[in-house]
Amino acid sequence: MCSHSGLADTTELARDAFTRELVERGLLVDTGVPGVFGKNGDFEAIVRGLDVMVEAAGAELRAEVFRFPPVISRALLERSQYLGAFPQLIGSVHSFTGDDGAHAGVLRAVEQGGDWGALFTSTDVVLAPAACYPVYGMATGTLPANGRTIDVASYCFRHEPSADPARMQSFRMHEVVRLGSSDACVTFRDGWLERGAALLRALDLDVRCVPANDPFFGRRGRLLAATQREQSLKFELVVPITSAERPTAVASANWHQDHFGELFAIHQADGSRAHTACVGFGLERITLALLRTHGLEIARWPAAVRDALHL
Amino acid sequence: MCSHSGLADTTELARDAFTRELVERGLLVDTGVPGVFGKNGDFEAIVRGLDVMVEAAGAELRAEVFRFPPVISRALLERSQYLGAFPQLIGSVHSFTGDDGAHAGVLRAVEQGGDWGALFTSTDVVLAPAACYPVYGMATGTLPANGRTIDVASYCFRHEPSADPARMQSFRMHEVVRLGSSDACVTFRDGWLERGAALLRALDLDVRCVPANDPFFGRRGRLLAATQREQSLKFELVVPITSAERPTAVASANWHQDHFGELFAIHQADGSRAHTACVGFGLERITLALLRTHGLEIARWPAAVRDALHL
């Protein structure tokens, strides 16, 4: 991904120093696994403030509120075609279903430092790769006349171990999803790019809007990535966290056209296939951008920023 | 588990009817997987109110606040000996690490309805079985003079698919953990049994305190269960949800003696091995107990209960 080695080195240094500082201050707790961090009460208060801001913006659009757990049904993931685009990011959940003898085998593997997970079998669930997937699953059928707007948030998982504190494997995403006509979805996406940028600027963050660049997998993925760019379907709001030259996406807004409408048999009131769009805010990433921009002493942040976040 | 068939039938009927009602009212969203539910804004407002109540009770003990993601490190689980006691409840997380050719194999398995999860490999993480495990991992070393008190909450996973809405596979647990001397831990556990019962009674719930009865696995497990009962280490607060005769545990308080102190090399300031204790509140279970007790129309709940929960 990084072609300019000078830049990459600077970024890596900045990234390591930032992570170290966050851990020393207790804002993040190192768990020994890259991208899996505990957070202290100060960090969580910022996340909560962001959650409230996004929920309030969604409420202005009279969004219905739903919350889903960090696991989703395996059948839902299969239906979503996520396995085709991002197999490398998925977390599949496996459990032990054996008897006392098999259990002894598991404990032997643990003792010998072996791969005891290999003795487990696939369950009916996988980790949620994004907060919005359960919404498509629950929307199968016919939408009301003006479609639906749904506020949803959950812990998401993406298997991409990294030293970048802004690339966590387990993180929270707060989304608002629109289901309805293509016009409604485009208006929604474009409106949220402005609304999202305004929300982040109210927090004194240095925001820019750029076309998205998702890490589609393999040969087939290069085609999907090119299509995404050409069709200008998805945009990201980026803010500098560990690099000014390569700012980090902290929010994105995506018009899926009728992709999910087709996969999940979602129809508009007139019988035509529904379009969908979503905006997603990465809560840990925005929190890190705030800590990077305003410093690790939250009491010394600009009063307007603290007020906006109820800190 | 159920020896009296008449009782079991009544309970099953009550359970199915209650789940149906919750789903029809939109409080729970069926995801097609037993014990994995979405929740609407009303359900979540109750959970948030409970979270605030437990956090306030913890703050009176000057608990430090930490939050951990729904996945923990595989090494932490191994060290905790959870694999010995409850292998059947664990969720091990597996990912795809292959190339384009292997990816084609995964997609073929998906198309044919095959077990594509079997083509994935164990990652460094598993789903958190309880909220308190990361606390023992971060406490390795020497405690301050009076030990520590830590408020922690997270989504937990237990692989026990069930038609009982109060036995979810993915659910939230809010815990307060004490690390220090044996006296401090016993006082903490007993204090929380009273504090927890008072908290639940303030919500007009019909609470009783009983010795715990954990589902230890297999032959070895029968011994662990007997020891748990004999030593009177863990107690549960139970409230009727789907059965008056067999109320559901909605909170528990447990003195682990120096079990985790030994496993995680946690010492008191005087060099002796630390004891630990924890109290855990099952947020979905308490919410279900409230809905069962006060009805599905939250606006018609007793004013004192709504006030306590900021509803």
Side-chain angles (χ1 to χ4, degrees):
Chain A
M1 302 279 275
C2 50
S3 49
H4 190 302
S5 70
L7 264 188
D9 286 344
T10 317
T11 305
E12 266 165 46
L13 283 176
R15 179 193 286 173
D16 292 351
F18 189 41
T19 307
R20 212 165 33 242
E21 244 188 322
L22 290 163
V23 171
E24 272 165 19
R25 284 296 192 101
L27 286 154
L28 292 185
V29 180
D30 186 359
T31 69
V33 177
V36 178
F37 291 101
K39 293 104 193 176
N40 76 359
D42 290 339
F43 193 104
E44 287 298 303
I46 304 169
V47 169
R48 208 174 304 157
L50 291 170
D51 249 333
V52 171
M53 283 181 83
V54 175
E55 198 167 319
E60 281 180 27
L61 306 179
R62 293 202 210 120
E64 308 165 59
V65 174
F66 289 96
R67 295 290 177 261
F68 287 88
V71 296
I72 64 171
S73 95
R74 186 174 294 267
L76 176 68
L77 187 81
E78 290 170 355
R79 196 166 180 183
S80 76
Q81 292 190 344
Y82 193 88
L83 276 150
F86 307 106
Q88 81 281 18
L89 301 179
I90 293 169
S92 173
V93 178
H94 297 221
S95 276
F96 174 75
T97 52
D99 58 10
D100 274 308
H103 186 210
V106 169
L107 295 181
R108 230 175 3 251
V110 174
E111 244 171 58
Q112 296 167 356
D115 179 12
W116 52 267
L119 305 172
F120 281 35
T121 53
S122 306
T123 66
D124 285 346
V125 296
V126 299
L127 291 173
C132 59
Y133 282 86
V135 171
Y136 311 124
M138 70 185 263
T140 296
T142 302
L143 297 170
N146 292 317
R148 290 176 82 174
T149 304
I150 295 180
D151 173 319
V152 72
S154 77
Y155 254 103
C156 302
F157 179 82
R158 294 186 184 171
H159 185 248
E160 42 180 356
S162 160
D164 185 350
R167 190 168 291 286
M168 293 190 186
Q169 295 196 69
S170 186
F171 58 95
R172 280 160 288 187
M173 198 189 284
H174 195 140
E175 296 197 53
V176 188
V177 185
R178 186 76 171 99
L179 306 98
S181 68
S182 60
D183 278 0
C185 289
V186 173
T187 303
F188 176 90
R189 181 198 61 186
D190 295 342
W192 269 102
L193 284 171
E194 291 195 18
R195 204 175 285 120
L199 188 154
L200 296 169
R201 282 193 189 111
L203 300 173
D204 271 2
L205 294 176
D206 176 18
V207 191
R208 277 193 306 128
C209 181
V210 300
N213 186 16
D214 283 335
F216 292 102
F217 180 81
R219 267 197 303 275
R220 183 194 151 91
R222 282 191 287 279
L223 186 68
L224 291 170
T227 309
Q228 186 184 56
R229 278 193 305 275
E230 274 160 26
Q231 300 194 326
S232 295
L233 299 175
K234 181 174 177 183
F235 295 90
E236 293 175 339
L237 298 173
V238 299
V239 174
I241 299 182
T242 50
S243 159
E245 292 86 0
R246 297 187 298 170
T248 302
V250 299
S252 68
N254 197 356
W255 170 34
H256 318 111
Q257 299 177 302
D258 60 357
H259 176 69
F260 291 111
E262 180 177 2
L263 294 176
F264 289 93
I266 309 169
H267 296 96
Q268 300 182 58
D270 67 6
S272 63
R273 200 178 281 153
H275 280 235
T276 60
C278 70
V279 59
F281 293 86
L283 301 181
E284 279 83 0
R285 283 190 173 180
I286 301 175
T287 302
L288 291 171
L290 287 163
L291 290 164
R292 183 58 153 187
T293 303
H294 303 307
L296 304 192
E297 288 266 23
I298 297 161
R300 297 172 66 181
W301 285 11
V305 174
R306 281 188 288 123
D307 284 351
L309 292 165
H310 301 285
L311 294 175
Chain B
M1 302 278 276
C2 49
S3 50
H4 190 303
S5 70
L7 264 187
D9 286 344
T10 316
T11 305
E12 266 166 45
L13 282 176
R15 178 194 286 173
D16 292 350
F18 189 41
T19 307
R20 210 164 36 240
E21 243 188 323
L22 290 163
V23 171
E24 271 165 20
R25 285 295 193 102
L27 287 154
L28 293 185
V29 181
D30 186 359
T31 69
V33 178
V36 179
F37 292 101
K39 292 105 191 175
N40 76 359
D42 290 338
F43 193 103
E44 288 298 302
I46 305 169
V47 168
R48 207 174 305 158
L50 292 170
D51 249 334
V52 170
M53 284 181 84
V54 175
E55 198 167 319
E60 280 180 27
L61 306 178
R62 293 202 211 121
E64 308 165 59
V65 174
F66 289 96
R67 294 290 176 263
F68 287 87
V71 295
I72 64 171
S73 94
R74 186 174 294 268
L76 176 69
L77 188 82
E78 290 171 355
R79 198 167 179 183
S80 76
Q81 292 189 344
Y82 193 88
L83 276 150
F86 307 107
Q88 81 282 17
L89 300 179
I90 293 170
S92 173
V93 179
H94 297 220
S95 276
F96 174 74
T97 52
D99 58 10
D100 274 307
H103 186 210
V106 168
L107 295 181
R108 229 173 6 251
V110 173
E111 243 170 61
Q112 296 166 356
D115 179 12
W116 52 267
L119 306 171
F120 282 34
T121 53
S122 306
T123 66
D124 285 346
V125 296
V126 299
L127 291 173
C132 59
Y133 282 87
V135 170
Y136 311 124
M138 71 185 265
T140 296
T142 303
L143 296 171
N146 291 316
R148 290 177 82 175
T149 304
I150 295 180
D151 172 319
V152 71
S154 76
Y155 253 103
C156 303
F157 179 82
R158 293 185 185 172
H159 185 248
E160 42 180 356
S162 160
D164 186 351
R167 190 169 291 285
M168 293 189 187
Q169 295 197 69
S170 186
F171 59 94
R172 281 160 286 187
M173 198 189 283
H174 195 142
E175 296 197 53
V176 188
V177 185
R178 186 76 170 99
L179 307 98
S181 67
S182 60
D183 278 0
C185 288
V186 174
T187 304
F188 176 89
R189 182 198 60 185
D190 295 344
W192 269 102
L193 284 172
E194 291 195 18
R195 203 175 284 121
L199 189 153
L200 296 169
R201 283 192 189 111
L203 300 174
D204 271 2
L205 294 176
D206 176 18
V207 192
R208 278 192 306 127
C209 182
V210 300
N213 187 15
D214 283 336
F216 292 102
F217 180 80
R219 267 198 302 275
R220 181 194 155 91
R222 282 192 286 279
L223 187 68
L224 292 169
T227 309
Q228 186 185 56
R229 278 193 305 274
E230 275 160 26
Q231 300 194 328
S232 296
L233 299 174
K234 181 173 177 184
F235 295 90
E236 292 175 340
L237 298 173
V238 299
V239 175
I241 300 183
T242 50
S243 159
E245 293 87 359
R246 296 187 301 170
T248 302
V250 299
S252 68
N254 197 357
W255 170 34
H256 318 111
Q257 300 175 303
D258 60 357
H259 176 70
F260 290 113
E262 179 177 3
L263 294 176
F264 289 95
I266 310 169
H267 296 96
Q268 299 183 59
D270 67 7
S272 64
R273 200 178 281 153
H275 280 234
T276 60
C278 70
V279 59
F281 293 86
L283 302 181
E284 279 83 359
R285 284 190 174 181
I286 301 175
T287 302
L288 291 171
L290 286 163
L291 290 164
R292 183 58 154 188
T293 304
H294 303 308
L296 304 192
E297 288 266 20
I298 297 161
R300 297 171 67 180
W301 284 11
V305 174
R306 280 189 287 121
D307 283 353
L309 292 165
H310 301 286
L311 294 175

